[in-house]
Amino acid sequence: MRQRLRALRFRRRWGFAPPPPWSDWVGYEALLEELDRHGIARVEGDLLEIGVLLGGGTAKLCGWAARRAPAKRVVAVDVFDPAFDPTTTAEGWAMPDLYRAALRGRDQRAVFDEVTRGCGNLVVVAGDSAEVPIPADRLAFAFVDGSHVPDDVRTDFETAWSRLQPGGIAAFHDYGANLPALTQALHERIGAHAGEIARVWTRDPALLFVQRGKGARPAAPASSST
């Protein structure tokens, strides 16, 4: 009964049925609220998600875009390999162990495809976000929750920021939590782009938001969309 009530509240608030509760580890409602609050539907460009895990968050982004900004696509990038990220948390938890526990022997891509079935505005890119072409030259929003290796975090920041349009927002997970090297990497990138940033803020759960200034035009991405 409690789960049904949550699903009804979600549908009433967002206009679409939620994915299974277990499929969203972050709580993407916080992201959707920021998208609405900052008028991202009116900002030029698509939505990018780096790191999808079980697909529940992807489904929520797709549902939001379908109703608020039907011309926007959701580009989701993931290696679909739970062992890819070797990072260990400050408490000693290895990311591959956490991901395998969540999957319970299931294939990550198969779970993701099932959870996002019916998302007609979804473009999936399977591969390392540092290497694969990103089929979107302009972004209104990007959410990065892929590899937690600091160098990968820096690369993903640049991938998103180089495409982010004025007024657009890039968000990052695990900021200020139990991955201090990730937090430091984000501080470095924010400092490097300080002159282009309008606002930086945080909110639970461990989310960092960075908004591009409306007078700051992004440089052309290193690789064009295909």
Side-chain angles (χ1 to χ4, degrees):
M1 177 62 73
R2 186 175 300 173
Q3 185 171 326
R4 174 186 282 185
L5 288 174
R6 282 198 296 265
L8 287 172
R9 285 195 293 267
F10 184 96
R11 183 188 286 272
R12 188 178 301 117
R13 172 67 175 86
W14 300 109
F16 60 94
W22 51 261
S23 65
D24 174 10
W25 273 25
V26 173
Y28 272 57
E29 287 86 339
L31 300 179
L32 303 187
E33 290 168 3
E34 296 298 327
L35 293 175
D36 276 352
R37 183 174 293 116
H38 295 278
I40 297 303
R42 299 186 298 274
V43 177
E44 182 184 7
D46 293 315
L47 313 181
L48 173 66
E49 181 187 28
I50 296 178
V52 304
L53 194 52
L54 304 174
T58 311
K60 291 176 183 179
L61 286 178
C62 288
W64 179 89
R67 284 149 186 81
R68 304 291 206 273
K72 296 187 186 302
R73 304 171 302 154
V74 175
V75 178
V77 183
D78 201 292
V79 293
F80 295 103
D81 176 4
F84 179 77
D85 181 359
T87 312
T88 299
T89 70
E91 294 88 352
W93 292 96
M95 289 297 172
D97 293 341
L98 295 173
Y99 299 151
R100 281 192 287 263
L103 288 165
R104 294 180 294 175
R106 299 169 294 176
D107 177 76
Q108 184 190 356
R109 181 60 191 267
V111 172
F112 173 84
D113 287 345
E114 177 63 25
V115 171
T116 59
R117 184 175 55 181
C119 293
N121 54 357
L122 175 62
V123 177
V124 181
V125 180
D128 184 345
S129 58
E131 299 177 357
V132 295
I134 304 298
D137 284 345
R138 295 177 177 83
L139 296 175
F141 176 74
F143 180 53
V144 176
D145 189 21
S147 169
H148 300 82
V149 174
D151 282 347
D152 294 339
V153 172
R154 295 182 186 97
T155 298
D156 287 342
F157 186 106
E158 296 300 331
T159 294
W161 195 258
S162 67
R163 295 165 170 79
L164 198 66
Q165 299 302 293
I169 292 172
F172 305 86
H173 191 224
D174 296 306
Y175 174 80
N178 55 4
L179 296 165
L182 177 149
T183 298
Q184 180 59 38
L186 290 173
H187 286 171
E188 292 172 5
R189 291 298 86 210
I190 289 170
H193 293 279
E196 305 159 10
I197 293 172
R199 184 185 176 203
V200 178
W201 69 102
T202 62
R203 64 175 290 179
D204 292 334
L207 293 168
L208 173 73
F209 296 86
V210 186
Q211 185 173 36
R212 180 180 280 278
K214 293 191 176 179
R217 301 298 304 185
S223 59
S224 298
S225 62
T226 56

